[in-house]
Amino acid sequence: MLTSTYRIIKFAFQNFWRNIWLSVITISMLVLTLLTINILLVLNRVTDQAISFVENRIEVSVYFNENADPAKVTDALTYLRTLPQVKDVQEIYADDALVAFKQRHAGDQAILSSLDELGKNPFGPTLIIKAHSAKDFDAIIAALDNPRFRDAIRQKDFSDYQSIVSKIRQTTDEIRTGGIVLSAIFFLIALLIIFNTVRVAIFIHREEIGIMRLVGASSNFIRMPFLVETIILSLLSILIVIAIVYPTLAFIEPKFNQYFGSGTTGLVSYFEQHGLLIFGAQFLALLVVTMGSTALAMRKHLKV
Amino acid sequence: MIHFKNVSKFYPPDVIGLDTVNLRVEPGEFISIVGQSGTGKSTLAKLLFAEERPSKGTVEIGGWDITKISPNDVPLLRRQIGVVFQDFKLLQKKTVYENVAFALQVAGIPSVRVREVVPRVLSIVGLDDKSHRFPQQLSGGEQQRVAIARALVHQPKILVADEPTGNLDTLNSRDILELLKKINEFGTTVVLVTHDHEIVNRLKRRVITLDGGKIVSDVEEGRYKL
Ligand SMILES: Nc1ncnc2c1ncn2[C@@H]1O[C@H](COP(=O)(O)OP(=O)(O)OP(=O)(O)O)[C@@H](O)[C@H]1O
Ligand SMILES: [Mg+2]
C-alpha cells in the first residue's frame, strides 16, 4: 500500500515533468484565474474604503435662521447627538460662519462688498452632522423635521449628497455583481482548462495507460496519478499567486493611501491577517474545481 | 487451462469476430492459431485476457469463469496471463530494465522483489547485458524479447502472443520462437497467433485454423496449410 502510494506520487511528478510545458500553461491559466479573483477581492476592499472615505466626508448642513434662539440650536444639537445614526455634530456659530465665508470668497470683491452693504451678519448658526453610514442620512433628515426646532431651521443642505450616496451604492452593487459573475466565469474557465489538460495528458499517455492495463495495473493505480498531478498543479498555482499578491500589494498600497489622503487602505495588513483564510479558501475551491474536472475528464476519456 | 464453450463474438453493427468456437487447451500445451486476415485470431486472443467479452458462450481460464469478469478483476486476470504483441508495446522513454520493472510496479510489488525478479526474467530472455538501453537502441528481436520478459514477471500460467514475429525477419523470428518454446518447457501454456508458415512448420505442435470466425481444423503436430 505504501509502495503503491509512493509510486503513484512518483508517477504524478513524472507526468508533471515530462509534460512540463503543458504543466506551465495550466499553471499560468490557474494563476491568472486566481489573480483575477484576488484583484476583485482587493477592488472590493478598496471600494469599501472609498465608500467610507466618501461617507466620512458627507455631511448634512443645517442652517438656522439668523435670529434663531440659541437654546433651540442647543436643543437640536443635543437631540441629534442622542440619535444612534449620528456620528458627530459640530456647531458653527454665526460669527465663525461669516469669517469662514469671507475667507472662502477672499478674492471675490463683488461678494465681499455686497456683504459689507448688508451691514450685518446674514448667517445664522449652522450644525454640521456626520453620520456613520450614508444610509443613515434619510433618518437624520426625517428627525430634523421635529416640530421642536423645525421652525428655526432655514435650510437643510443634503439633496446633492443623497444622489451621490445612491450613486455610490448603485455603482458598488454593480461592481459586486460584476465581480461575482466574473469569478464564476473564471472558475468555469479553470474547470475547462483542467478538463482539457487532463484530456491531453490522457491522450499523451494513452500508450502508457494501455500498457499499464495490459500488465494488470488496477484502475485506481492508473487514475490516482492524474488526481495527484492535479493537486500538484493547484498547489503550485496558489503558491505562485501568494508570491505575486503580497509584494504587489506592498507596492500599490502607498499609492492608494496617497489617493485617499490620510486614511490608509490597510491592504497588506488585511491580507496578512486573513491570508490563511483567503488563500486557504481559494486553494480549497480550486481543488474542488480541478479535481472535479479531472474526474470528469477521466470518466469521459479514460476507459479503465 | 483454457476452455471456450460455444463462444461467439459479434462486433457492432453486424461483424462476426468469432462464431460458436469450442476449444479446450490443457496446461503446458503450446498451440498455434492460424488463419487468414480478419478470421478472428486476435479476437480469440483478446477474449483470453478479457480485452473483449464474449457475446455468447462462456470462457474459462484455469477454472475461472471470466465470461462476465468485472472490471475490478481484470487486473488480477492480467497478472496471471502474459501478453505479447506484434508492435512490442514498450515505453520508449523507459530503459529495458524500467520497462520490465514497470509491470511489477503497477501491480504494487515491493521494490525489493522488483530488484529480484527483473534481472531473472531478463536473463531468461538473454538481455541481462542490455538492461540500461532504451528500446530504440535495440533490434526488433531484442525489443520483442523485452516484451516477453515483461510478460513473464508474474510467472504467468498462460502466455498469449499475437503475431509476435510479425515485425521480425526470419532469424529474429526463429530466436523468438525458441524463446517461446523454452518458456513453454518451464510449464507455461503458450497461445501463439501467427501468419508465419515457417514458424508453424518448425513447431510441430497443435495448430488451430480459423476461418470466418469458426475453427475449421484442429490438429496435433500440424502444418500450416492454406
Ligand atoms: N473492435 C472491433 N470493432 C468492430 N469490428 C472488429 C473489431 N475488432 C475486430 N473486428 C472485426 O472482427 C473480425 C475479426 O478480427 P480479428 O482482429 O480477430 O482478425 P485477425 O484474424 O486477428 O486478423 P489479422 O490477421 O489481420 O490480425 C474482422 O472482420 C474485424 O474487422
Ligand atoms: Mg490480429
Side-chain angles (χ1 to χ4, degrees):
Chain A
M1 195 60 223
L2 211 68
T3 316
S4 292
T5 310
Y6 165 74
R7 281 179 190 147
I8 283 167
I9 293 170
K10 194 175 129 194
F11 284 169
F13 271 102
Q14 273 177 1
N15 284 358
F16 178 84
W17 280 118
R18 294 214 175 126
N19 307 294
I20 186 68
W21 285 110
L22 195 64
S23 309
V24 167
I25 289 166
T26 309
I27 289 179
S28 312
M29 293 312 295
L30 289 180
V31 165
L32 281 181
T33 308
L34 288 173
L35 277 183
T36 316
I37 287 163
N38 282 296
I39 288 171
L40 281 169
L41 266 179
V42 170
L43 224 85
N44 214 2
R45 174 120 186 115
V46 171
T47 316
D48 281 349
Q49 299 279 339
I51 286 176
S52 67
F53 176 80
V54 173
E55 277 176 351
N56 276 333
R57 273 153 192 77
I58 297 176
E59 316 153 328
V60 179
S61 302
V62 183
Y63 301 101
F64 286 82
N65 296 323
E66 52 195 283
N67 50 7
D69 181 359
K72 278 198 174 180
V73 179
T74 315
D75 183 26
L77 180 77
T78 0
Y79 170 71
L80 283 168
R81 284 202 171 129
T82 62
L83 292 177
Q85 295 95 339
V86 171
K87 192 161 106 186
D88 184 34
V89 187
Q90 200 191 338
E91 182 176 3
I92 296 174
Y93 302 103
D95 296 344
D96 294 336
L98 181 64
V99 172
F101 184 85
K102 278 186 176 164
Q103 257 168 20
R104 249 199 327 269
H105 299 280
D108 197 333
Q109 211 47 57
I111 288 182
L112 289 180
S113 58
S114 59
L115 201 63
D116 280 344
E117 260 167 53
L118 212 58
K120 58 170 186 149
N121 185 352
F123 298 100
T126 307
L127 291 184
I128 295 177
I129 308 161
K130 285 185 178 173
H132 287 291
S133 138
K135 294 191 286 289
D136 297 331
F137 279 102
D138 293 342
I140 293 170
I141 285 168
L144 285 170
D145 276 338
N146 192 317
R148 278 201 337 241
F149 33 75
R150 187 173 51 196
D151 299 336
I153 293 173
R154 181 163 54 95
Q155 195 192 344
K156 291 171 284 192
D157 190 358
F158 60 88
S159 49
D160 275 352
Y161 294 140
Q162 251 179 343
S163 78
I164 290 174
V165 167
S166 73
K167 202 166 183 134
I168 287 180
R169 228 181 277 162
Q170 192 191 334
T171 316
T172 322
D173 286 351
E174 274 167 16
I175 288 176
R176 288 221 171 96
T177 324
I180 290 165
V181 170
L182 253 178
S183 312
I185 291 172
F186 277 117
F187 258 126
L188 204 73
I189 292 173
L191 190 136
L192 286 176
I193 289 165
I194 284 284
F195 183 86
N196 203 48
T197 304
V198 174
R199 203 175 59 95
V200 170
I202 290 171
F203 181 75
I204 289 173
H205 294 294
R206 66 195 181 289
E207 204 194 351
E208 194 170 342
I209 291 168
I211 291 170
M212 284 168 102
R213 291 172 52 210
L214 274 180
V215 298
S218 64
S219 62
N220 255 346
F221 197 91
I222 296 173
R223 285 158 182 276
M224 286 307 285
F226 288 104
L227 288 172
V228 174
E229 194 185 349
T230 307
I231 297 176
I232 297 171
L233 291 172
S234 307
L235 191 66
L236 278 176
S237 303
I238 197 85
L239 289 178
I240 290 171
V241 166
I242 290 172
I244 293 175
V245 164
Y246 280 104
T248 310
L249 285 182
F251 178 74
I252 60 168
E253 180 163 5
K255 299 190 192 307
F256 274 125
N257 289 349
Q258 234 168 30
Y259 180 77
F260 287 126
S262 57
T264 172
T265 43
L267 281 175
V268 173
S269 67
Y270 176 74
F271 268 78
E272 264 166 11
Q273 273 163 30
H274 303 96
L276 202 67
L277 188 74
I278 292 172
F279 293 110
Q282 283 178 34
F283 180 59
L284 279 183
L286 189 67
L287 264 193
V288 168
V289 169
T290 55
M291 303 274 273
S293 55
T294 301
L296 214 72
M298 288 196 300
R299 235 177 77 180
K300 200 163 180 320
H301 298 286
L302 195 62
K303 300 273 182 273
V304 291
Chain B
M1 179 57 57
I2 298 170
H3 192 188
F4 278 55
K5 264 187 280 186
N6 296 319
V7 173
S8 296
K9 175 67 189 177
F10 311 118
Y11 293 108
D14 55 359
V15 182
I16 296 172
L18 276 186
D19 188 1
T20 343
V21 165
N22 282 288
L23 175 65
R24 195 182 261 284
V25 180
E26 300 306 325
E29 269 196 89
F30 191 135
I31 67 163
S32 301
I33 300 187
V34 301
Q36 281 174 343
S37 188
T39 51
K41 305 184 296 295
S42 294
T43 301
L44 193 154
K46 284 176 186 166
L47 290 172
L48 288 173
F49 53 89
E51 179 73 14
E52 296 285 356
R53 310 289 152 84
S55 314
K56 278 188 189 162
T58 56
V59 177
E60 263 181 40
I61 303 282
W64 180 6
D65 186 346
I66 61 158
T67 312
K68 294 195 175 79
I69 186 170
S70 85
N72 284 339
D73 289 337
V74 170
L76 298 179
L77 175 73
R78 301 237 169 116
R79 290 172 204 173
Q80 296 174 42
I81 299 182
V83 283
V84 177
F85 298 92
Q86 179 170 1
D87 57 358
F88 320 135
K89 298 201 193 296
L90 298 177
L91 293 165
Q92 299 301 317
K93 287 180 185 164
K94 287 189 191 285
T95 64
V96 168
Y97 184 97
E98 287 165 347
N99 263 286
V100 177
F102 189 63
L104 291 161
Q105 287 165 347
V106 299
I109 306 296
S111 306
V112 190
R113 176 109 180 100
V114 174
R115 283 194 288 274
E116 239 170 65
V117 173
V118 177
R120 196 194 305 152
V121 291
L122 281 178
S123 87
I124 291 175
V125 302
L127 280 177
D128 11 19
D129 54 334
K130 293 184 173 139
S131 64
H132 293 292
R133 292 213 194 167
F134 287 90
Q136 286 118 315
Q137 302 167 322
L138 298 175
S139 75
E142 287 168 335
Q143 290 188 50
Q144 191 58 289
R145 282 195 267 157
V146 178
I148 293 172
R150 185 181 60 195
L152 293 179
V153 291
H154 293 299
Q155 296 176 292
K157 297 188 193 103
I158 301 174
L159 181 69
V160 179
D162 191 349
E163 316 239 15
T165 58
N167 278 347
L168 305 179
D169 60 26
T170 316
L171 269 164
N172 273 314
S173 297
R174 281 186 195 165
D175 281 351
I176 294 299
L177 188 68
E178 289 310 313
L179 183 56
L180 291 178
K181 277 163 88 174
K182 184 165 134 193
I183 290 161
N184 178 241
E185 277 157 23
F186 288 154
T188 301
T189 307
V190 177
V191 176
L192 170 67
V193 173
T194 186
H195 264 126
D196 194 327
H197 303 220
E198 206 221 286
I199 279 190
V200 175
N201 295 343
R202 280 173 71 93
L203 258 172
K204 302 190 180 64
R205 290 299 196 49
R206 182 177 173 193
V207 176
I208 289 158
T209 310
L210 285 179
D211 193 10
K214 283 183 186 299
I215 295 183
V216 292
S217 95
D218 181 351
V219 285
E220 294 297 324
E221 248 193 69
R223 292 183 68 81
Y224 198 107
K225 32 163 202 204
L226 274 174

